[in-house]
Amino acid sequence: MALLEVRDLSIEFETRKGNLKALERLSFTLNEGETLGIVGESGCGKSITSLALMGLLAPNARVSAGALRFEGKDLLAMNEEARSEIRGAEMSMIFQDPMTSLNPSFTVGFQLEEMLKAHPREEADRSPAGRRKRLVELMEQVGIPDPAQRLTCYPHELSGGMSQRVMIAMAVASRPKLLIADEPTTALDVTIQAQILELLRDLQRRYKMALILITHDLGVVSETAARTMVMYAGQAVEEGPTREVIASPRHPYTAGLLQCLPALHAKEAPKTRLPSIAGMVPDLLARPSGCQFHPRCSRAQEPCWQALPDWRVEGSRGERCHFPLTQAGGGQR
Ligand SMILES: Nc1ncnc2c1ncn2[C@@H]1O[C@H](COP(=O)(O)OP(=O)(O)OP(=O)(O)O)[C@@H](O)[C@H]1O
Ligand SMILES: [Mg+2]
């Protein structure tokens, strides 16, 4: 049985301008200890996917279709009490903006201790002295030097990288089976980014957690996630083993994202400007017909604006394109 099963998940928002279909029939599964990268441009639905998993969608959101199962349990059928039992204990999330996720009025130690009290995992978590020991251990595990002293700090006294480490400590304190990291490195500089990714990999192995790593950067998933799903305008457009997706993308959007990667591009033309994908993501209140990517796709032809391509699966790869790229880079037309 898969740890997590997302089937045809669709999410709509009630907005002043009308009904906005933000997520359309998204499906994926995640096994115990597995890492899935979710990649796509801003607004493609990465965060709402994770908020839906956590049961933390905004009040104007509605799951209009689909199913969410965690260890076989139907998450959408659960009441809030049962859901909050799973949230934090079995699955936890590192939010996109660590600075606003930590409460500025309380010390790091206090906030971390609250997590241990709420979701005790070890006998030590049940006594103040035991928790004290566990807090120091947790801080050490996430690579915070001088942990005892740092526990007395308020969030504003920590650097961005340190705050992110504290957020990670809070998320893994309960040893969740699933950790969702939503753009965990966006606000950090490149060296710290690499350290945080290394830390996530290390904790994932240590606790045998499944990890969903959300990012707009294919470079970030390339070293961390075994599988990657690429999203566009609230839909999955491509999925497969990360190495294969990067070596031979089948969807033109994935190919476009790869072209924008500085590391890969630098070897070819270090002094030229990085390319970007022309055009913009569609307005979700006025979606284009057919394939959502067709207005930006240089390969688009009639079927592309006539009909949304089906999700096609071949072996370990899945893709949604009328004219997928072949390995050699040419089309199948
Ligand atoms: N509360 C809300 N009300 C209306 N629309 C919303 C709401 N929350 C999100 N959306 C819309 O849903 C879409 C998906 O948003 P989401 O936050 O998941 O994007 P994202 O992929 O995480 O982007 P980013 O990379 O910028 O974090 C966007 O078009 C966004 O405007
Ligand atoms: Mg987001």
Side-chain angles (χ1 to χ4, degrees), residues 13 15 20 22 41-48 58 60 96 183 284:
F13 286 101
T15 73
L20 183 150
E41 276 167 295
S42 187
C44 72
K46 304 180 298 293
S47 291
I48 56 166
N60 64 333
Q96 198 161 353
E183 306 259 13
L284 300 182

Side-chain angles (χ1 to χ4, degrees), residues 232-244:
Y232 188 77
Q235 301 172 343
V237 293
E238 173 150 17
E239 200 209 311
T242 306
R243 241 176 246 165
E244 292 179 28

Side-chain angles (χ1 to χ4, degrees), residues 247-259:
S248 59
R250 292 194 178 159
H251 198 286
Y253 177 59
T254 315
L257 286 179
L258 279 163
Q259 287 239 310

Side-chain angles (χ1 to χ4, degrees), residues 107-123:
T107 63
V108 164
F110 178 86
Q111 295 183 58
L112 210 45
E113 188 170 3
E114 289 300 296
M115 277 302 293
L116 291 180
K117 280 190 198 163
H119 306 289
R121 257 308 135 102
E122 294 184 5
E123 206 37 53

Side-chain angles (χ1 to χ4, degrees), residues 5 10 89 113 129 131 136 175 201-202 207-208 217 239 270 279-280 294 306 315:
E5 195 183 347
S10 302
E113 188 170 3
R131 282 197 293 272
V136 172
R175 310 252 170 91
R201 281 194 290 269
D202 173 54
Y207 296 140
K208 299 184 175 58
D217 183 349
E239 200 209 311
M280 281 184 18
H294 90 253
Q306 295 285 358

Side-chain angles (χ1 to χ4, degrees), residues 135-169:
L135 289 181
V136 172
E137 271 170 25
L138 270 167
M139 296 283 274
E140 272 167 358
Q141 269 167 23
V142 297
I144 295 184
D146 199 3
Q149 195 273 326
R150 288 269 158 57
L151 284 167
T152 65
C153 290
Y154 286 87
H156 74 267
E157 297 174 280
L158 301 177
S159 66
M162 285 290 169
S163 305
Q164 192 58 299
R165 285 173 193 271
V166 171
M167 288 302 302
I168 294 173

